[in-house]
Structure formats: C-alpha cells, structure tokens
C-alpha cells in the first residue's frame, strides 16, 4: 500500500512569491495535517483538515492557508514568502479526526532565497 | 538528504549497547504520548505510544516510561543497532481543545558499529 505522498520533493522560491504544496493521504484516511519543521527543531503543527473542513490551526500567520479536496488530498498555500518560511513541510494523514495514529509523508523541502 | 539533526542534543553509543533517550514535556493536560524516529530525508515514523494512565509500555526492543509527576518521558532501545541511528522526537497530544500533536526538541542517536 502506498503511504502518504507529497509533491514536490524540493522547491526553491524567492522572497515575496507564493507556493503551493500538495499531499495525498493514505487510502481510506480522511484527515490530513500539515506541519512545518525548521532545521534542527521538531515539527510544528500548522493545520488539520478532516472531511474537507478545517478542524485545527496552529500559531501561524494568515499567509498560510490550506484546503482539502473531496478525495481527501490537500494543498498548503503560503503567500508572500519570507526567508523564515524555509523549512521541511510535512503532511500526515490519519483515519479519524484526532491527532492519533498519524502517518507522515517524506515532506517538501522549501528554500526561500 | 539534508539532516534534521543540526544543533540537536546527541547521544553516541556502540552497537549492542542499550540507549536511553529522555524528554521533558510541559503540558499537564496531555493524555497521550508518542515517540517518533526521523531519518535524514524522511518524515517522522511512529515507534511506540503510551497513554497517561500508564507508566510503562514495551514494544519490540523499545520501552517507553512515563513519569507524570515530573513530566518526563523516556525511550529505551535495547541492543542498539546502526539502523537505529536517527533523530528521535517525543510528542504529546492534548485533547482538551483541538486534538493536536506537539513535538519536543529531539535527540540525535548515533550508533557506531
């Protein structure tokens, strides 16, 4: 069975640009969560979507937004990129609404120059 | 892949030794704890979990100990192998509001043959 997949693997953007990251959950999973992992730190929660609705939001500015599609895949959008947005962006999927039993994808490495 | 372990505390052991990785948490309302392993270029991988009504749980070669009095969690790995080399994160779930996963700082484990 395929695990959580994310695209692209790596991305380089310029300060001020916008970026869209994509995630496909494990088949049958209805919840997708997004995390930001800055080098040398643990992942930090950004959003959780369950059944296409936002169910949780971390302490991130409004430049960050996300959505979940009817097939449960998800996109994370970041506008007006800052140098500090450079990080590994992780997507995790789970069957239920809570944070239990989350399976992580390999991440998208975003570099902002 | 780019290392996630930059600037993290490091534990260096010899193959065959037992390893103990410690974690302090701060949220008294957390009722579920998880240890994740993250190898370079990959997302976090579930190792073992424990509920707050338990103080010990054993898996295959791994044991998690929970001390709620001092808000301390530890991961013991028996007969450590080179393949155990990775960054280890503890994470907690607080279900009092949103059910979100909060990661600790992480420890890099280096196993020498």
């Amino acid at each position: 069975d395929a695990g959580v997949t994310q695209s692209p693997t790596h991305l380089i953007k310029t300060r001020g640009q916008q970026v869209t990251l994509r995630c496909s959950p494990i088949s049958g999973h209805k919840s997708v969560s997004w995390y930001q992992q800055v080098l040398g730190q643990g992942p930090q929660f950004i959003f959780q979507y369950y059944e296409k609705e936002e169910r949780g939001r971390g302490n991130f500015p409004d430049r960050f937004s996300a959505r979940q599609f009817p097939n449960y895949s998800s996109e994370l959008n970041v506008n007006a990129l800052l140098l500090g947005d450079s990080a590994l962006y992780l997507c995790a999927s789970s069957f239920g609404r809570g944070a239990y039993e989350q399976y992580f994808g390999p991440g998208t490495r975003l570099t902002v120059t | 892949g780019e290392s996630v372990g930059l600037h993290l505390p490091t534990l260096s052991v010899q193959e065959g030794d037992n390893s103990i990785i410690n974690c302090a948490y701060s949220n008294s309302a957390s009722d579920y704890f998880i240890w994740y392993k993250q190898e370079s270029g990959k997302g976090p991988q579930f190792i073992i979990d424990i509920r707050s009504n338990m103080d010990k749980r054993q898996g295959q070669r791994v044991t998690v100990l929970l001390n709620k009095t001092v808000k301390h969690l530890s991961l013991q790995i028996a007969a450590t192998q080179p393949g155990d080399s990775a960054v280890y994160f503890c994470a907690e779930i607080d279900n009092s509001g949103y059910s979100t996963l909060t990661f600790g700082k992480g420890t890099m484990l280096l196993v020498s043959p």
Side-chain angles (χ1 to χ4, degrees):
Chain A
D1 286 342
V4 177
T5 59
Q6 294 186 242
S7 63
T9 305
H10 295 87
L11 202 53
I12 299 175
K13 289 286 189 177
T14 304
R15 195 170 42 182
Q17 286 187 316
Q18 175 265 342
V19 69
T20 298
L21 310 180
R22 295 176 177 82
C23 170
S24 292
I26 291 171
S27 178
H29 283 190
K30 300 180 179 180
S31 177
V32 168
S33 298
W34 287 95
Y35 295 83
Q36 180 195 66
Q37 186 174 25
V38 174
L39 203 60
Q41 297 182 20
Q44 188 173 1
F45 172 72
I46 309 175
F47 286 112
Q48 185 193 43
Y49 276 77
Y50 176 73
E51 289 283 17
K52 301 177 286 295
E53 292 188 10
E54 182 182 304
R55 301 292 185 169
R57 184 185 184 111
N59 188 23
F60 279 81
D62 292 343
R63 298 185 296 109
F64 288 76
S65 64
R67 56 179 175 168
Q68 187 177 31
F69 298 99
N71 67 353
Y72 302 110
S73 66
S74 178
E75 286 182 351
L76 175 70
N77 295 287
V78 187
N79 293 323
L81 285 166
L82 304 175
L83 297 178
D85 294 331
S86 295
L88 180 68
Y89 287 85
L90 294 161
C91 172
S93 78
S94 58
F95 179 76
R97 177 178 172 175
Y100 303 100
E101 296 190 49
Q102 292 192 22
Y103 295 84
F104 285 82
T108 294
R109 171 67 64 187
L110 172 65
T111 302
V112 182
T113 62
Chain B
E2 192 171 346
S3 171
V4 298
L6 194 64
H7 305 311
L8 289 172
T10 300
L11 174 65
S12 296
V13 301
Q14 293 287 116
E15 182 177 2
D17 288 351
N18 295 330
S19 302
I20 300 176
I21 300 171
N22 296 303
C23 174
Y25 66 94
S26 57
N27 187 354
S28 300
S30 292
D31 58 2
Y32 187 76
F33 303 88
I34 308 168
W35 280 99
Y36 284 94
K37 171 186 181 183
Q38 188 173 24
E39 297 172 283
S40 186
K42 297 183 179 179
Q45 177 186 3
F46 172 91
I47 302 173
I48 191 169
D49 58 4
I50 188 168
R51 292 194 177 274
S52 60
N53 61 354
M54 303 171 67
D55 53 21
K56 180 179 180 179
R57 189 166 189 220
Q58 287 183 290
Q60 189 175 23
R61 282 202 307 120
V62 294
T63 301
V64 56
L65 299 178
L66 174 62
N67 185 330
K68 294 183 290 295
T69 303
V70 295
K71 296 180 189 168
H72 184 267
L73 200 64
S74 69
L75 176 69
Q76 300 177 1
I77 304 174
T80 315
Q81 302 167 1
D84 294 327
S85 294
V87 177
Y88 289 80
F89 292 98
C90 65
E92 55 191 295
I93 294 177
D94 175 2
N95 285 308
S96 60
Y98 291 131
S99 176
T100 58
L101 193 59
T102 302
F103 283 82
K105 288 187 171 62
T107 297
M108 174 173 278
L109 176 65
L110 296 175
V111 183
S112 304

